[in-house]
Amino acid sequence: MYSGLVHAHSGLRWVALLLLVAAVATAFSRWQGRADFTESNRKLYLFTLISVHTQLVLGLVLYFISPKVDFGMMSEKLYRFYTVEHLAGMLIAIALVTVGYSRAKRLSNATAKHKAVAIFMGLGLLLILASIPWPFRIPGAGWF
Ligand code: HEM
């Protein structure tokens, strides 16, 4: 089960990243172009939210079973990364994506909705990119 979860969590990063890039690019161009808020925009932003929340659920389960999460080994870079840095970075990033989605839902003006998504999901995307254990940064991490 552990290995299956790591693969699911690792592979789903690409789905979340693709959706985030599509959502931020769409929101930014529709904010700047003062375009409508369509049903397909709403769906894109919703699926983006769902993809990062799925990562949150998988990540939380992994946090309790992964041998790479160990508070007693914090002097080692790899353990510190998964125990503190990955967790903190991703929790803040997922909060930003969630704020973007819920603000857009509350606002009534189309331009303001796209602006909220562009800014908050944009910041979330940057933080996710910085918090992913890329293989060139973290030993033992994979691409998929
Ligand atoms: C959008 C959010 C997230 C993304 C894109 C993401 C991505 C990843 C990736 C790519 C890996 C490396 C898997 C590999 O070694 O191939 C990983 C590992 C891990 N993630 Fe996340 N993660 C996210 C959120 C979270 C959260 C919120 C938590 C904790 C609550 C978490 C906990 C973990 C743990 C414990 C591992 C280590 C698994 C292991 O190899 O034992 N992740 N994550």
Side-chain angles (χ1 to χ4, degrees):
M1 170 176 132
Y2 166 65
S3 148
L5 276 177
V6 175
H7 279 102
H9 189 65
S10 185
L12 194 65
R13 105 185 75 177
W14 297 110
V15 177
L17 285 176
L18 270 174
L19 284 167
L20 275 165
V21 168
V24 172
T26 303
F28 187 79
S29 77
R30 297 185 78 82
W31 164 25
Q32 295 301 315
R34 305 194 166 278
D36 288 349
F37 188 88
T38 65
E39 179 58 17
S40 66
N41 296 152
R42 191 190 67 79
K43 280 197 183 130
L44 173 60
Y45 302 156
L46 176 65
F47 287 134
T48 306
L49 179 79
I50 292 172
S51 72
V52 298
H53 281 192
T54 308
Q55 282 297 69
L56 172 66
V57 173
L58 295 176
L60 275 175
V61 178
L62 279 172
Y63 199 79
F64 290 102
I65 62 175
S66 171
K68 295 175 187 167
V69 173
D70 189 336
F71 283 87
M73 301 280 282
M74 298 272 273
S75 56
E76 291 199 26
K77 192 176 178 286
L78 180 88
Y79 293 91
R80 196 169 56 245
F81 176 80
Y82 285 107
T83 309
V84 183
E85 293 161 22
H86 184 66
L87 172 75
M90 291 309 191
L91 287 181
I92 297 169
I94 294 168
L96 285 165
V97 171
T98 309
V99 168
Y101 180 82
S102 27
R103 275 206 185 196
K105 202 172 172 183
R106 252 188 304 113
L107 289 162
S108 52
N109 175 274
T111 307
K113 282 174 181 281
H114 291 303
K115 182 180 174 185
V117 172
I119 292 175
F120 285 98
M121 290 201 185
L123 290 172
L125 170 60
L126 292 179
L127 195 50
I128 285 174
L129 284 171
S131 308
I132 284 179
W134 297 109
F136 50 82
R137 240 186 99 201
I138 303 296
W143 284 107
F144 297 101

